[in-house]
Amino acid sequence: MKRLTITLAGCLVSVALHAQSAPASAPDPASVKKQLRNKEIGLRYGVQIGVGAGAPDQAMQYAAVDFAAYNYRNIGLRTGLNLFTTPLHDGQYASVPLQFSWRSGVRRMPTSSPDGYYYDGTWYPDRETADPSIGRILFEAFVPEVPSVFELHAGLTPGLLFGPVRSDDTGLYDIRQRFVCTADAGGRLQLPIGRVRLFLDITYHYYLTRNFQVERPRPDRDLGAPHRSFVGVSGGLSLTF
């Protein structure tokens, strides 16, 4: 009985010492997941402008719905639906982006210190700090820190061309192939305001498929060769959750 009591006492002491030395319990993963905003949905409007070899003045306007999901390392997948309002043919054009995406954390652009800049243990006021302009005073009063999020994305965008194969409009192309696929690479700058983010997106698109042609050349239809390289510029807003 005495040995049993000593053994139990030793076990209790060991458990108590282990509890004191053990680190605090990790937070509940479910609660951490709720605090992180790893998904976003947004609307944007933009234009794809033809660059490089091809006929001049080729541009396609489009509206888009975006959806993105990220893991804890800010690596994720971006997708959505693009609907082109002014394609290069007589019909409709819809595509679905499938892009891998990486985003930075929320970064802030600090304004200058009223004491100037710091070097080797001493503050050195500069001319702007000593005699600031009115614009600088207003900027630092109303925008003390500008938050931003930068994103890089790359992938493929498959799509389909709808409508008649031959176009009667002299300013549009005939359809050579309905299935479309582009290779994409670009970046996005986001300005977060709470859960809402305003953004500007610039993405390069290379058309892997040859989709447009002039099937029946006419004197009044000198369109030139269609572009295969386009630069997309778009802007909009998204909601994180």
Side-chain angles (χ1 to χ4, degrees):
M1 185 66 179
K2 184 176 180 181
R3 291 182 179 179
L4 179 60
T5 302
I6 294 174
T7 302
L8 291 176
C11 292
L12 291 175
V13 171
S14 176
V15 170
L17 291 176
H18 178 74
Q20 291 180 358
S21 60
S25 60
D28 184 12
S31 63
V32 173
K33 187 176 180 180
K34 290 181 180 179
Q35 296 175 2
L36 295 175
R37 297 169 184 170
N38 288 335
K39 299 181 179 66
E40 68 177 58
I41 186 169
L43 298 172
R44 62 189 171 97
Y45 194 83
V47 59
Q48 287 189 13
I49 304 172
V51 296
D57 302 328
Q58 289 187 4
M60 298 184 289
Q61 299 182 43
Y62 64 97
V65 178
D66 293 333
F67 176 79
Y70 295 88
N71 61 16
Y72 298 120
R73 296 184 179 180
N74 281 331
I75 299 176
L77 177 67
R78 177 171 292 283
T79 184
L81 178 63
N82 302 326
L83 296 176
F84 286 78
T85 57
T86 57
L88 300 182
H89 68 291
D90 187 10
Q92 294 77 40
Y93 172 22
S95 62
V96 177
L98 301 173
Q99 301 172 346
F100 288 101
S101 175
W102 171 86
R103 67 180 181 183
S104 68
V106 178
R107 302 174 181 271
R108 296 183 179 272
M109 183 179 66
T111 56
S112 61
S113 169
D115 298 322
Y117 63 94
Y118 182 83
Y119 177 73
D120 197 19
T122 306
W123 287 98
Y124 296 90
D126 54 19
R127 180 182 300 177
E128 284 288 333
T129 303
D131 186 18
S133 62
I134 296 178
R136 186 187 183 94
I137 294 175
L138 293 176
F139 178 81
E140 296 193 356
F142 293 99
V143 192
E145 291 183 334
V146 180
S148 63
V149 176
F150 185 71
E151 173 193 314
L152 296 175
H153 50 257
L156 300 174
T157 301
L160 284 175
L161 303 178
F162 303 93
V165 173
R166 296 180 180 178
S167 175
D168 294 329
D169 192 323
T170 58
L172 297 175
Y173 289 93
D174 298 325
I175 295 178
R176 178 179 182 180
Q177 178 178 324
R178 291 189 180 275
F179 175 74
V180 183
C181 187
T182 65
D184 319 308
R188 178 176 296 197
L189 177 63
Q190 302 180 354
L191 301 179
I193 306 174
R195 292 192 176 188
V196 177
R197 294 186 174 183
L198 303 176
F199 62 85
L200 174 67
D201 187 295
I202 299 178
T203 302
Y204 171 76
H205 307 274
Y206 180 77
Y207 279 72
L208 302 174
T209 53
R210 295 182 180 273
N211 299 101
F212 303 109
Q213 66 180 357
V214 180
E215 186 172 341
R216 294 174 298 173
R218 299 196 309 244
D220 59 346
R221 203 179 184 193
D222 187 14
L223 295 178
H227 281 280
R228 300 189 69 180
S229 294
F230 286 78
V231 172
V233 180
S234 61
L237 58 86
S238 61
L239 177 67
T240 59
F241 58 97

